[in-house]
Amino acid sequence: MQIVIKSLGVLFILMGVAYLLRPEIVKRLTEFFKKGKRIYFPGLLRFALAVVFFVGARECRSFWIIFACGIIFLLGGLLVFGLGPERIRWTLDWYARQSIVVFRVIAFIVLVFGVIVVFAA
């Protein structure tokens, strides 16, 4: 399970690098996911990641960091379903209107998150 969590950390790093280099990818993804029932997929994905992080936390070097990541994913999934589709669409529209600098800052945060996951696993 430790390998799975490290692999997810590497995936987060790659996503952060891709978003830093091409921030317009994020805008296209927001447009894709805000249509129809697709809006719930990120919530389901966050729940699945929460389960993986909760189950794998015991095998990792820094249990509490990986467990905290699981809590973050769980709360993110709950927010997607708790806020409802209209509020999520409004938030995605607001996010898509932000400047490239904001996208790059968030991409950097994703990259750092991935590095933390890799070293904590």
Side-chain angles (χ1 to χ4, degrees):
M1 200 58 153
Q2 185 180 19
I3 294 171
V4 172
I5 292 178
K6 276 193 186 222
S7 298
L8 287 171
V10 170
L11 181 65
F12 295 143
I13 292 169
L14 293 174
M15 285 172 40
V17 169
Y19 296 162
L20 272 172
L21 298 176
R22 308 248 349 243
E24 67 275 1
I25 294 171
V26 178
K27 286 187 179 189
R28 285 194 300 239
L29 282 172
T30 58
E31 288 300 317
F32 174 79
F33 282 114
K34 72 180 186 180
K35 294 179 183 159
K37 301 285 184 191
R38 294 179 201 165
I39 203 152
Y40 293 114
F41 180 74
L44 293 173
L45 181 62
R46 286 184 174 116
F47 283 138
L49 288 170
V51 169
V52 169
F53 276 72
F54 287 146
V55 170
R58 288 188 150 183
E59 298 176 22
C60 291
R61 191 175 337 155
S62 300
F63 169 83
W64 288 108
I65 292 174
I66 300 301
F67 191 80
C69 291
I71 291 172
I72 291 169
F73 284 121
L74 179 65
L75 292 175
L78 289 172
L79 270 175
V80 168
F81 288 98
L83 292 176
E86 288 308 313
R87 183 74 173 163
I88 295 294
R89 282 188 188 93
W90 180 87
T91 304
L92 290 175
D93 287 337
W94 172 85
Y95 182 66
R97 290 190 305 267
Q98 301 307 304
S99 71
I100 296 296
V101 173
V102 172
F103 284 108
R104 289 208 164 112
V105 167
I106 292 172
F108 183 73
I109 292 169
V110 171
L111 182 110
V112 169
F113 181 78
V115 170
I116 290 169
V117 168
V118 168
F119 284 112

